[in-house]
Amino acid sequence: MRRRRTSGADRIGLMGFSAGGHLAGLAALAPGAEVQEAVQFVVLGYAITSMETETYRPARLILLGEDAGPALRRSTSLDALVTRESPPFFMWHTAEDVYVPPGHTYRLATSLAAHNVPHAVHVFAHGPHSLGLAEGAGDAATWTALAASWLRERAEA
């Protein structure tokens, strides 16, 4: 992000899915981030947002290790890192995701709302984990159009 800033970028956003969504969220919400590391928006798809709740166990083990205690799990849960200065978030999920339950998205959205951080949440009734762009996946395929509209709105704000 620093390199993009020094190249002249004035608006930077992050996007991530599943465990990559957790990484994007951590990068956006990292305590003590310098101004040149700040992002203006985040887009998350079926993201792991909490290390305190049920999630895909292999991802948690890879990210935190076998012996992650409560303090480490809390400090790497996105909802615990939200502040009033956090960037806006666009999040989408499916209700049928068995690897990362939609409760992850709801939990982060609740924290964003409690801190008055702009956000949008879309949970589609059908679709498995790992949809990516979700082309041909029914209603979930609309997430890209919804995200594009949300990004345009953010750019005008």
Side-chain angles (χ1 to χ4, degrees):
M1 288 186 275
R2 285 182 192 160
R3 185 174 44 197
R4 296 297 304 147
R5 291 268 186 241
T6 58
S7 297
D10 60 339
R11 293 183 50 81
I12 296 176
L14 297 176
M15 180 184 291
F17 301 88
S18 194
H22 183 258
L23 178 61
L26 277 177
L29 299 171
E34 298 175 21
V35 172
Q36 63 265 39
E37 296 169 337
V39 298
Q40 282 63 56
F41 62 89
V42 183
V43 176
L44 301 181
Y46 46 88
I48 296 171
T49 66
S50 175
M51 293 296 152
E52 296 180 297
T53 62
E54 191 60 36
T55 192
Y56 185 53
R57 191 176 192 296
R60 191 176 71 233
L61 291 175
I62 290 167
L63 293 169
L64 301 182
E66 184 72 46
D67 301 320
L72 177 59
R73 291 178 72 166
R74 182 71 181 146
S75 70
T76 54
S77 292
L78 304 184
D79 59 294
L81 301 175
V82 173
T83 68
R84 288 178 172 262
E85 291 76 34
S86 296
F89 276 72
F90 176 97
M91 299 173 286
W92 74 277
H93 221 111
T94 63
E96 296 177 336
D97 190 332
V98 296
Y99 292 108
V100 180
H104 280 261
T105 292
Y106 296 137
R107 184 174 175 140
L108 179 55
T110 298
S111 185
L112 292 165
H115 289 88
N116 296 314
V117 175
H119 61 282
V121 177
H122 299 276
V123 178
F124 302 99
H126 303 291
H129 189 73
S130 299
L131 283 176
L133 293 176
E135 293 174 337
D139 287 345
T142 64
W143 85 262
T144 55
L146 293 167
S149 176
W150 182 82
L151 287 168
R152 280 191 299 277
E153 183 180 298
R154 300 269 28 104
E156 296 167 1

